Amino acid sequence: EIVLTQSPDFQSVTPKEKVTITCRASQSIGSSLHWYQQKPDQSPKLLIKYASQSISGVPSRFSGSGSGTDFTLTINSLEAEDAATYYCHQSSSLPWTFGQGTKVEIK
Amino acid sequence: QVTLRESGPALVKPTQTLTLTCTFSGFSLSTSGMCVSWVRQPPGKALEWLALIDWDDDKYYSTSLKTRLTISKDTSKNQVVLTMTNMDPVDTATYYCARMLIRTTYDAFDIWGQGTMVTVSS
C-alpha cells in the first residue's frame, strides 16, 4: 500500500500570503496524484488532478506540481474562503490512499 | 448535472451489519469507464478509501477491511450499495460515495455526495 505523507499538518497564514503544501509518496506514482479541499462540515472538493491539471470552476490561485514521489499544492494570494483542510490522494495503485491532511487557518 | 446522495442508518449497534446506499444521477454505471467508490472519515480524522465498483462489475476493496465489505450495484436504479459487517465503535464516521472515471488510468474522485454520518454505539 502506498503511503502519502503531507507537510505541514497545520499552517496559519495571513490573507494574500502564498501557501505551499507538500505530499510525498512512499513509492513512485507517476502523476496520479490529486488534491482536494474540504471545508468544515462539507464533503471534499476536487481542486487539482494528475498533479497539475486544473479543474473547471476552481480559482486560478490554486496550482499543483510534481511527479514521481514529490508533489506540491500552491495557493497564491490566500483568501479567507480558502480556510480548509487539504488532502492529497493517489490513484496509481490500489488500494487508493489519502494523505493525513493539512489544515490551513487564516490569521 | 452529476449528483450522488448517501442514505442509511444514523445509528447501528456493535456487531451489526451496516448497509449504505448511494443513489446517483447524471451518469450511468453501465457506461464504460464509470466507477463509484466509498470513502469514510472518522470525526476529526483523515479520509479513508473503502471500496470501488466499476461499470464492468469489477470490485476492489481496502486491504484492511476487505473481509467485512461488500459493494454492489443496481444499474436500473442508479444505486450502489455498501455493506460492512461486524460494526465497531471505531467505524463511527461520515461515509461518502464519490464518482471516479477510468480514462487511460484511474482518474480522481470528481464528484462527491454530501456524506452520511454513522455512529456505532450500544
Side-chain angles (χ1 to χ4, degrees):
Chain A
E1 175 172 312
I2 295 174
V3 176
L4 298 179
T5 304
Q6 292 181 229
S7 62
D9 291 333
F10 176 83
Q11 200 163 9
S12 184
V13 189
T14 55
K16 299 188 179 180
E17 230 182 298
K18 179 180 174 179
V19 173
T20 300
I21 299 169
T22 65
C23 179
R24 175 163 288 177
S26 59
Q27 64 190 74
S28 179
I29 57 173
S31 60
S32 296
L33 190 284
H34 320 291
W35 291 98
Y36 303 86
Q37 176 193 64
Q38 186 178 32
K39 296 182 179 180
D41 298 320
Q42 294 187 16
S43 52
K45 171 189 171 184
L46 179 62
L47 285 181
I48 299 286
K49 68 177 183 179
Y50 291 114
S52 61
Q53 292 185 17
S54 57
I55 301 299
S56 175
V58 173
S60 59
R61 62 182 179 275
F62 292 93
S63 64
S65 64
S67 67
T69 60
D70 293 303
F71 302 86
T72 300
L73 173 70
T74 301
I75 311 173
N76 281 301
S77 192
L78 186 81
E79 297 191 6
E81 66 183 27
D82 300 333
T85 300
Y86 295 84
Y87 293 95
C88 56
H89 152 236
Q90 66 82 19
S91 64
S92 171
S93 173
L94 283 159
W96 310 145
T97 49
F98 292 89
Q100 81 276 18
T102 295
K103 185 174 182 177
V104 174
E105 173 193 87
I106 310 299
K107 282 182 183 174
Chain B
Q1 181 189 7
V2 173
T3 64
L4 303 98
R5 185 182 78 251
E6 306 85 352
S7 59
L11 179 66
V12 298
K13 290 181 167 49
T15 76
Q16 285 187 337
T17 294
L18 171 69
T19 299
L20 296 173
T21 301
C22 175
T23 304
F24 55 87
S25 63
F27 68 98
S28 172
L29 245 187
S30 60
T31 300
S32 178
M34 290 292 174
C35 311
V36 171
S37 259
W38 286 92
V39 176
R40 72 178 180 180
Q41 184 173 39
K45 295 190 177 181
L47 301 164
E48 178 186 18
W49 176 76
L50 300 176
L52 176 143
I53 189 165
D54 70 16
W55 81 100
D56 206 24
D57 210 35
D58 293 320
K59 303 163 187 177
Y60 303 96
Y61 297 100
S62 159
T63 305
S64 60
L65 293 168
K66 63 181 177 181
T67 60
R68 299 172 53 204
L69 296 174
T70 303
I71 192 170
S72 62
K73 63 182 174 74
D74 185 330
T75 305
S76 65
K77 293 183 179 179
N78 279 351
Q79 290 181 334
V80 171
V81 174
L82 181 76
T83 62
M84 180 180 291
T85 61
N86 195 23
M87 293 292 285
D88 183 272
V90 300
D91 296 313
T92 294
T94 297
Y95 287 76
Y96 297 98
C97 59
R99 187 182 77 162
M100 175 183 266
L101 305 179
I102 303 175
R103 304 178 201 270
T104 54
T105 60
Y106 285 98
D107 212 291
F109 298 118
D110 63 341
I111 308 292
W112 295 66
Q114 66 196 23
T116 186
M117 177 67 193
V118 178
T119 300
V120 184
S121 175
S122 54

